[in-house]
Amino acid sequence: MQTRLAGWWAPDREASREKRGADEILNAESQLDTQSPRIRSWYFDKEHSPSKSRIQQYRRRDVPRRIHILGTGSVGKLVAHSLRGIPNPPPITLLFHRRDLLKKWRREGEQIKLTTHKITESRNGYDVEVAAAQRRTHGTEVPLQELYGEETYPGLRPHEIAALNSTTAPTSQDISEPSLNPEEEDDTSDETIHNVVVTVKAASTVSALSAIRHRLTRGSTIIFLQNGMGILEEVNREVFPDIETRPNYMLGIISHGVNSTSSFSVVHAGFGTIALGLVPRYAARQLTNPAEPMTESWAPTSRYLLRTLTRTPVLAAVGFAPTELLQAQLEKLAVNAIVNPLTVMLDARNGSILYNFALSRVMRLLLSEISLVIRSLPELRGLPNVNTRFAPDRLETLVVGVAHRTRDNISSMLADVRKGKQTEIEYITGYVVKRGEEMGIKCVMNYMMLQMVIGKQNLINREEQEDVPVVGTGKSVVRSK
Ligand SMILES: CC(C)(CO)C(=O)C(=O)O
C-alpha cells in the first residue's frame, strides 16, 4: 500500500518548528494570496507573526514566481500548458535549445496547443529564451566555436550549419527559415533562474543544464520530470559537484500519456498523475553516516513549486516523502525495464507483450534480476515491506497492468528508436545492470537486453546515414549497396 503523504510539507506543520528562518517567513509571505484563511490568520497571529518591519523587509524579497521549462517535448508542453491555465498563473519562460526553434515559435503564433478528447485548446502568454545545450564529447564540454567553426550558430548541428551555408539548402522544416543573426533579437538571458522544470530526455540532461548552470543558485529549485534513474548522480558529478552550493532538487514521476504532434502541439492521451518529492541534499551522506541529521527543511523555491504544481488540476500532482518517492521510482523503473525494451525488439505496441507465454518467460527472467537488485539496494535497507513490494510476481502484476492499460500506446523508447533518436535504455536497463554490478549481482539477461536495444539504435542510425537526400526534390532515397 502506498502511503500518501500529501500535506506533510504544509506550512502549518512547519509552524511547529521552534526556529523559523527568514526564508520561511519570506515563503509564507509569498503564499498568502493562495493560502487558506486558517493559515493566513496563523501568520498574523500575535504570537507567531514576525514584526511588521520584518514582513516588509521580506516582502521585498518575495519568492520569484517565474517558472522556467527546460525541454519542450511532450511533457514540457503539457506542464507549460497546464500551468498557464490555473487562476493567477505564474509567468512561464520556455527555454529552447536551438535558435531555429525560436523562429518556428514566432512563425507558429507563439502558442502551445493541447488536445484532450479531440478538443484543442491553445494557450499563449509565454516568454521564451534560447539556452543552447552544451555539446559534450567523451565527457568534456566542447566550445561551440570549436564544434561548429562559427560562434554565431549556437545550438545548430554541424550538418545543419553546412546546410545553411550552402546555396542548395535542405528542405527540413526545422531549418527552413533559420534566424542566424544574433543581432536580430536578444533571445538569451543571464538572469537568475529560481524555479525550473527539466523535461528533456535523460541523456540530454547534463548538456541542457550546463547551458543554464551559471543562472542557477543554492536557492534555486530544479524539478526533474523524466524517465529513468541515475540522472541526478550524473548531474551532480558533471554540473554541480559542490554539494553545498548546488541548487535544490525535486523529482517527479509522471504517468500521464502525452504525444507530441508537432513542435508546439501535444495530445493528452492518457490522464495520469505526478508524484512529487524533495531529493534530500545530504541523502548519500545519511546512507553512509547514520548520525547525519535526517530532517531537511524545504527551500522556499521548492515549496513554491510544490504548491504551484499541486494546485494545477490537469497535472494531478501530489507530494510524497522521499523514501516513498524512491520506491515509486523503482516500481516505474521495473515496468519501463520490461515494456520499453521488449516493445523495441518486437517493434510493436505495449499490448503486444501480453497473452504470449514465450514473452512471459522473457519477462520473468528479466524481472527475477530486477527484483533481486532492487531488494538489495542499500538505500532501501530498513524500510518495511520492501521484499513483498518488489517481489518478482508483484512486479509482474505491475508490468501486466501497465501494458494492459497502455496496450494501444507506442512506448517512448520504441518511438525514439523509430525516429532514430537516442533512447533512455542506459538510464533504465543500464541503471539496473550498473547497480547490480556495484552489489556483485550479475544481470546477464538485462545486460543482453541493454545491448540489443543499443544494437537496434545503431542499426537505425546507420540506415539513416545511408539515407541520401536528393537535392531539389525535397525527398530522399536510400541508396542500395
Ligand atoms: C509506461 C510506459 C511504457 C507507457 O508507454 C512508459 O512509461 C513509456 O512509454 O515510457
Side-chain angles (χ1 to χ4, degrees):
M1 251 274 296
Q2 290 195 343
T3 33
R4 257 181 57 160
L5 291 172
W8 63 278
W9 40 266
D12 46 354
R13 174 100 173 234
E14 293 286 319
S16 65
R17 291 198 182 157
E18 276 180 3
K19 193 167 158 286
R20 282 178 303 123
D23 277 342
E24 287 179 82
I25 301 165
L26 180 158
N27 186 50
E29 276 293 284
S30 76
Q31 292 173 359
L32 287 176
D33 55 352
T34 53
Q35 297 284 17
S36 71
R38 192 169 57 84
I39 295 172
R40 192 185 281 263
S41 64
W42 179 86
Y43 277 110
F44 289 101
D45 176 296
K46 254 199 183 142
E47 233 176 88
H48 297 96
S49 73
S51 71
K52 206 169 173 200
S53 62
R54 278 180 79 200
I55 291 176
Q56 274 157 0
Q57 181 188 341
Y58 296 125
R59 194 188 296 270
R60 278 199 300 275
R61 296 192 290 124
D62 229 357
V63 177
R65 299 182 70 233
R66 180 170 296 279
I67 298 177
H68 286 74
I69 310 236
L70 184 61
T72 45
S74 49
V75 173
K77 281 180 283 217
L78 172 71
V79 172
H81 190 276
S82 309
L83 285 174
R84 285 301 296 168
I86 60 179
N88 186 17
I92 305 280
T93 299
L94 307 175
L95 293 166
F96 294 142
H97 65 294
R98 295 200 319 261
R99 187 159 283 141
D100 56 291
L101 257 186
L102 179 68
K103 187 80 179 173
K104 197 166 185 191
W105 169 255
R106 303 261 186 256
R107 211 170 46 224
E108 295 187 4
E110 305 187 5
Q111 54 189 338
I112 293 179
K113 291 182 189 161
L114 180 93
T115 305
T116 313
H117 300 313
K118 300 194 175 149
I119 296 170
T120 301
E121 195 178 347
S122 302
R123 289 206 173 123
N124 50 24
Y126 301 95
D127 296 306
V128 290
E129 284 169 15
V130 174
Q134 298 294 310
R135 296 273 152 183
R136 300 172 72 86
T137 53
H138 306 290
T140 309
E141 275 169 26
V142 180
L144 291 170
Q145 61 273 44
E146 199 176 297
L147 187 78
Y148 304 129
E150 291 261 7
E151 226 169 337
T152 48
Y153 293 176
L156 287 194
R157 288 176 289 176
H159 73 274
E160 291 169 341
I161 294 183
L164 288 164
N165 285 338
S166 93
T167 42
T168 52
T171 53
S172 154
Q173 258 299 111
D174 275 4
I175 56 172
S176 55
E177 284 174 53
S179 159
L180 290 176
N181 182 1
E183 307 295 316
E184 197 175 275
E185 173 177 25
D186 184 13
D187 49 30
T188 60
S189 166
D190 278 331
E191 268 169 35
T192 301
I193 293 177
H194 299 276
N195 312 295
V196 58
V197 184
V198 174
T199 63
V200 297
K201 294 262 180 199
S204 312
T205 311
V206 165
S207 53
L209 274 178
S210 299
I212 54 165
R213 169 177 32 201
H214 61 294
R215 301 176 60 188
L216 292 160
T217 70
R218 168 77 153 85
S220 311
T221 293
I222 308 176
I223 298 193
F224 295 88
L225 286 185
Q226 299 164 306
N227 259 349
M229 291 181 76
I231 306 156
L232 296 193
E233 290 83 335
E234 221 174 87
V235 168
N236 284 344
R237 199 175 55 241
E238 307 288 341
V239 193
F240 302 112
D242 182 1
I243 190 169
E244 300 299 339
T245 58
R246 71 175 57 128
N248 306 284
Y249 298 157
M250 287 175 72
L251 262 181
I253 307 167
I254 181 155
S255 63
H256 289 276
V258 271
N259 312 306
S260 284
T261 44
S262 75
S263 299
F264 307 112
S265 307
V266 65
V267 176
H268 195 178
F271 280 88
T273 57
I274 301 182
L276 277 179
L278 186 75
V279 180
R281 186 176 290 269
Y282 302 110
R285 279 196 203 164
Q286 278 153 4
L287 213 58
T288 49
N289 177 15
E292 194 75 42
M294 291 296 282
T295 46
E296 277 185 39
S297 60
W298 286 66
T301 47
S302 306
R303 274 189 279 164
Y304 164 70
L305 274 172
L306 183 74
R307 288 196 65 81
T308 308
L309 291 177
T310 51
R311 79 177 175 96
T312 305
V314 176
L315 298 179
V318 178
F320 284 87
T323 49
E324 183 55 37
L325 195 73
L326 171 65
Q327 293 181 79
Q329 235 190 328
L330 289 164
E331 283 178 345
K332 181 153 175 23
L333 184 83
V335 170
N336 285 138
I338 302 297
V339 179
N340 295 23
L342 284 184
T343 52
V344 167
M345 295 324 297
L346 299 165
D347 194 21
R349 289 176 192 269
N350 294 355
S352 66
I353 65 169
L354 299 170
Y355 314 115
N356 185 327
F357 195 56
L359 296 178
S360 298
R361 282 185 168 139
V362 175
M363 200 190 293
R364 283 176 195 155
L365 287 170
L366 294 168
L367 281 176
S368 62
E369 292 177 354
I370 296 168
S371 162
L372 182 59
V373 169
I374 296 179
R375 285 181 292 122
S376 312
L377 289 173
E379 54 269 43
L380 296 188
R381 208 167 288 151
L383 292 180
N385 215 20
V386 166
N387 276 329
T388 320
R389 183 165 178 174
F390 295 101
D393 50 350
R394 159 109 209 299
L395 294 182
E396 187 177 332
T397 309
L398 285 184
V399 171
V400 169
V402 171
H404 182 70
R405 279 196 300 280
T406 61
R407 59 192 172 276
D408 298 324
N409 292 9
I410 304 244
S411 75
S412 55
M413 195 172 284
L414 176 57
D416 285 341
V417 166
R418 284 183 176 173
K419 285 186 220 146
K421 283 194 186 168
Q422 194 173 4
T423 70
E424 292 175 315
I425 192 74
E426 299 189 45
Y427 298 87
I428 298 174
T429 304
Y431 185 77
V432 173
V433 173
K434 188 176 127 247
R435 295 307 306 268
E437 261 169 24
E438 283 167 13
M439 298 181 294
I441 302 168
K442 278 203 171 72
C443 298
V444 288
M445 305 295 161
N446 281 278
Y447 184 76
M448 189 181 81
M449 210 69 237
L450 173 66
Q451 299 308 322
M452 295 283 280
V453 172
I454 295 175
K456 177 136 190 184
Q457 245 171 242
N458 292 346
L459 204 73
I460 295 192
N461 284 349
R462 213 163 293 157
E463 276 172 14
E464 290 230 322
Q465 277 160 19
E466 286 170 8
D467 194 25
V468 179
V470 176
V471 175
T473 64
K475 289 183 188 157
S476 64
V477 288
V478 178
R479 180 175 282 162
S480 58
K481 288 205 172 144

